[in-house]
Amino acid sequence: MNADIARFVTAIDHVGIAVPDLDVAIAFYRDNFGLEVAHEEVNEEQGVREAMLHAPGDHGGTAIQLLAPLNENSTIAKFIGRSGPGLQQLAYRVSDVDVAADALRAKGLRLLYDNAKRGTSNSRVNFVHPKDAGGVLIELVEPAAGSAH
Amino acid sequence: MNADIARFVTAIDHVGIAVPDLDVAIAFYRDNFGLEVAHEEVNEEQGVREAMLHAPGDHGGTAIQLLAPLNENSTIAKFIGRSGPGLQQLAYRVSDVDVAADALRAKGLRLLYDNAKRGTSNSRVNFVHPKDAGGVLIELVEPAAGSAH
Ligand SMILES: [Co+2]
Ligand SMILES: [Co+2]
């Protein structure tokens, strides 16, 4: 009975990495791994400065999302304080975040938000509680209509 | 001066997740997210039972690698003991793991192995030390000649 959700997961959208300083991290990934920045923005609600990076020539593929805290109350600041910088989240691309969230709730998984919030590039996002997902903070991302994805 | 390495990173190959029990984890990702198992194997040298999973219809894209410990001396057993289950590694696909490793060493990053070891599906792999990579265990994967990638 996974047909209800299987239809909605279309790809691994991005892997999120908590970093103390966005510019330093962008330079690290550019200079050592050749990753290219496709997008940068500040999301006040999520408390982050962030950038999306891709392997050269793989611009439709899975992205690296670098997440730096905007302030000390940010989820990312708390993550770094608790665990240090490093892998923080794994995001699945879905065709409809509300339907996907409801399907997961029906299976007993807790979502962090009652209603989807604004993510990168006007996407709509929600998160599965890591305690219900084997310790992984799982994000669901519905890209904005008309976006490259 | 990232041309030397940029040529070698071609995509994000997989995201590795440490799990206590492989079969339980496969069922979790299948039943809740619709992910499909493309491959399973035991790697005695790495001390893991593992599976590669893909989003439906995205078989050439980035995979989820579920990693379960073969025994208590396994790196994955130690990771789970220290940090709990969850995101453990991020693997970049490279065209030549030896050249990529040398290029990173030349930039001052430490690699875990002097010589590449055998990874999933007869790939050749090496790892950047997390202390030199912002807390992320970065794997370099050169797929076997003639593999789907
Ligand atoms: Co994200
Ligand atoms: Co791996």
Side-chain angles (χ1 to χ4, degrees):
Chain A
M1 280 304 294
N2 62 339
D4 48 346
I5 178 71
R7 283 176 300 164
F8 303 111
V9 173
T10 58
I12 299 175
D13 191 82
H14 63 268
V15 183
I17 299 174
V19 303
D21 182 297
L22 188 65
D23 297 319
V24 168
I26 288 172
F28 174 83
Y29 280 100
R30 181 191 62 219
D31 295 347
N32 292 303
F33 295 94
L35 300 192
E36 297 167 353
V37 175
H39 179 77
E40 268 189 71
E41 72 177 78
V42 170
N43 187 323
E44 298 275 356
E45 186 181 30
Q46 296 285 331
V48 293
R49 264 191 82 204
E50 57 158 280
M52 288 289 192
L53 287 73
H54 286 271
D58 187 43
H59 290 274
T62 298
I64 301 292
Q65 181 182 40
L66 301 176
L67 296 156
L70 266 188
N71 56 58
E72 64 192 16
N73 297 318
S74 148
T75 302
I76 296 300
K78 290 174 189 161
F79 178 90
I80 292 175
R82 191 172 61 240
S83 307
L87 295 170
Q88 190 262 348
Q89 58 168 249
L90 179 57
Y92 295 98
R93 197 179 304 155
V94 297
S95 48
D96 185 320
V97 68
D98 300 313
V99 175
D102 279 344
L104 292 171
R105 285 189 192 100
K107 290 171 185 296
L109 305 192
R110 286 168 291 175
L111 280 285
L112 295 193
Y113 307 138
D114 289 339
N115 297 109
K117 297 202 179 193
R118 187 190 163 282
T120 310
S121 300
N122 294 313
S123 59
R124 298 177 67 243
V125 303
N126 208 331
F127 293 86
V128 180
H129 198 297
K131 287 195 175 152
D132 291 348
V136 179
L137 177 60
I138 293 180
E139 181 178 356
L140 307 171
V141 186
E142 177 188 331
S147 75
H149 299 143
Chain B
M1 280 306 296
N2 62 338
D4 48 346
I5 179 70
R7 283 176 299 163
F8 303 111
V9 173
T10 58
I12 299 174
D13 191 83
H14 63 269
V15 183
I17 300 174
V19 304
D21 184 299
L22 188 65
D23 296 319
V24 169
I26 288 173
F28 174 83
Y29 280 100
R30 181 192 62 217
D31 295 347
N32 291 302
F33 296 93
L35 300 192
E36 297 168 352
V37 175
H39 179 77
E40 267 188 72
E41 72 177 78
V42 170
N43 186 323
E44 298 275 356
E45 186 182 31
Q46 297 286 329
V48 293
R49 263 190 82 203
E50 57 158 282
M52 287 288 190
L53 287 74
H54 287 271
D58 187 42
H59 291 273
T62 298
I64 301 291
Q65 180 181 41
L66 301 176
L67 296 156
L70 266 188
N71 56 59
E72 63 192 17
N73 297 319
S74 146
T75 301
I76 297 300
K78 290 174 189 162
F79 178 90
I80 292 174
R82 192 172 59 239
S83 309
L87 296 171
Q88 190 263 348
Q89 57 169 247
L90 178 57
Y92 294 98
R93 198 178 304 155
V94 297
S95 48
D96 185 320
V97 68
D98 301 311
V99 175
D102 280 344
L104 293 171
R105 284 189 193 101
K107 290 170 184 297
L109 305 192
R110 286 167 292 175
L111 279 285
L112 294 193
Y113 306 139
D114 288 338
N115 297 110
K117 297 202 180 193
R118 187 190 164 282
T120 310
S121 300
N122 293 312
S123 59
R124 299 177 65 241
V125 303
N126 208 331
F127 293 86
V128 179
H129 198 298
K131 288 196 174 151
D132 291 347
V136 179
L137 177 60
I138 293 180
E139 181 178 356
L140 307 170
V141 185
E142 177 189 330
S147 76
H149 297 142

